[in-house]
Amino acid sequence: MMDRVGLLMLLLSIGWAVKLYSTRHSRKELCDRVFNIFTKLLYNLFFPIMFYNIFATRGLDLADASITILVTVYVLLSILILYPFLRSYSPVMRNPIILTSIFPNVVFLGFPILLTLYGDITYASLYSLVMLVYNITVGGLLGARRHEVFYAVVKLPIIYGFIVGVLVHYMFPLVIEPTVLYTKALSSIIATYGAALVLGYSLPVTLSNTREYYAPTLIQGFYRFVVSPIIHYVLAMLLSLPEAAVKQLLVESIMPPALTNTILARVHGWNYEYTATSTLITTLVSLAIVSSTTMLGLF
């Protein structure tokens, strides 16, 4: 297992090294284009295929309703905690702090780590789907562009992988085996290791703004690595989730901020330099936490 975690870290490092090299040797435009195309393939094709495979195979169960409730309560509770606490900040800074504190990188980092640790994202798949919907919804509401929220959610590709998978499971069971057989292994490998490369390439190449964003990054880090897992664990116990679900959700709960937060910050004119800088710092911290807890046998 540690070999696979090590490979994941290596791919993250390679992605970051490619970005560093391209920036210093005037190749950034070409590399950006290549990684943008690959990212779109992951997001629009391979992740939906993974969702299809999972839900075509297993359908829906009672744990899915509990996970949806858990995410809903977690997001609402987090907003009630963070919004008053951050009232002294201007909206340009307060809104990205809220988003980066609440919404973790459930897909591009969470999936590779879970597949590396457990070889399974059965429960994390629905968790990530609901979390992504809330991420876009809350970001849109904070940015006062409510008319765009519905269309942003509808355009999530993984929703269609989920819907088609559920329909096939209950209505076309004979289709399940041949479709999953020929797509599962390839899509899992590409999604796991491809996402690690993309995440590495997405990280900033410098920490020059660390001091300027020290306080908000500290707030975000404390929430992501302390408050978030506590809330997740308590809610998981109250909802009596299976042990496998608890483990997967706890790993997701200590992931660094989602890359979507930086995109939302840019779209709404918030401080996206903070989101990028804090994402890099907390990504490194999150990887260190996952590595150390794995070595200790806690995951």
Side-chain angles (χ1 to χ4, degrees), residues 84-213:
F85 181 76
L86 298 169
R87 62 182 178 276
S88 61
Y89 287 91
S90 67
V92 172
M93 195 68 196
R94 180 178 63 236
N95 292 340
I97 296 175
I98 290 174
L99 288 183
T100 54
S101 297
I102 296 175
F103 298 104
N105 192 332
V106 289
V107 175
F108 281 101
L109 186 59
F111 280 8
I113 287 178
L114 285 171
L115 288 168
T116 299
L117 292 174
Y118 306 123
D120 180 37
I121 55 168
T122 298
Y123 297 102
S125 56
L126 185 76
Y127 172 88
S128 64
L129 176 65
V130 179
M131 190 65 79
L132 282 169
V133 169
Y134 278 130
N135 194 175
I136 292 172
T137 303
V138 173
L141 293 175
L142 289 174
R145 297 189 181 187
R146 294 172 176 80
H147 62 287
E148 298 177 357
V149 172
F150 173 76
Y151 297 103
V153 171
V154 168
K155 288 190 294 184
L156 281 174
I158 57 177
I159 285 181
Y160 299 101
F162 164 75
I163 292 173
V164 174
V166 171
L167 290 176
V168 166
H169 179 83
Y170 291 108
M171 299 177 66
F172 308 101
L174 295 178
V175 178
I176 298 172
E177 185 175 350
T179 54
V180 172
L181 178 65
Y182 289 108
T183 60
K184 185 176 182 179
L186 182 63
S187 62
S188 295
I189 291 171
I190 294 176
T192 302
Y193 299 120
L197 283 170
V198 169
L199 179 62
Y201 188 81
S202 302
L203 296 174
V205 296
T206 176
L207 290 176
S208 59
N209 295 323
T210 302
R211 286 189 177 183
E212 181 180 352
Y213 303 128

Side-chain angles (χ1 to χ4, degrees), residues 244-262:
V246 176
K247 288 183 176 180
Q248 290 182 30
L249 268 55
L250 281 178
V251 171
E252 292 278 38
S253 75
I254 58 170
M255 291 297 99
L259 300 178
T260 311
N261 297 319
T262 300

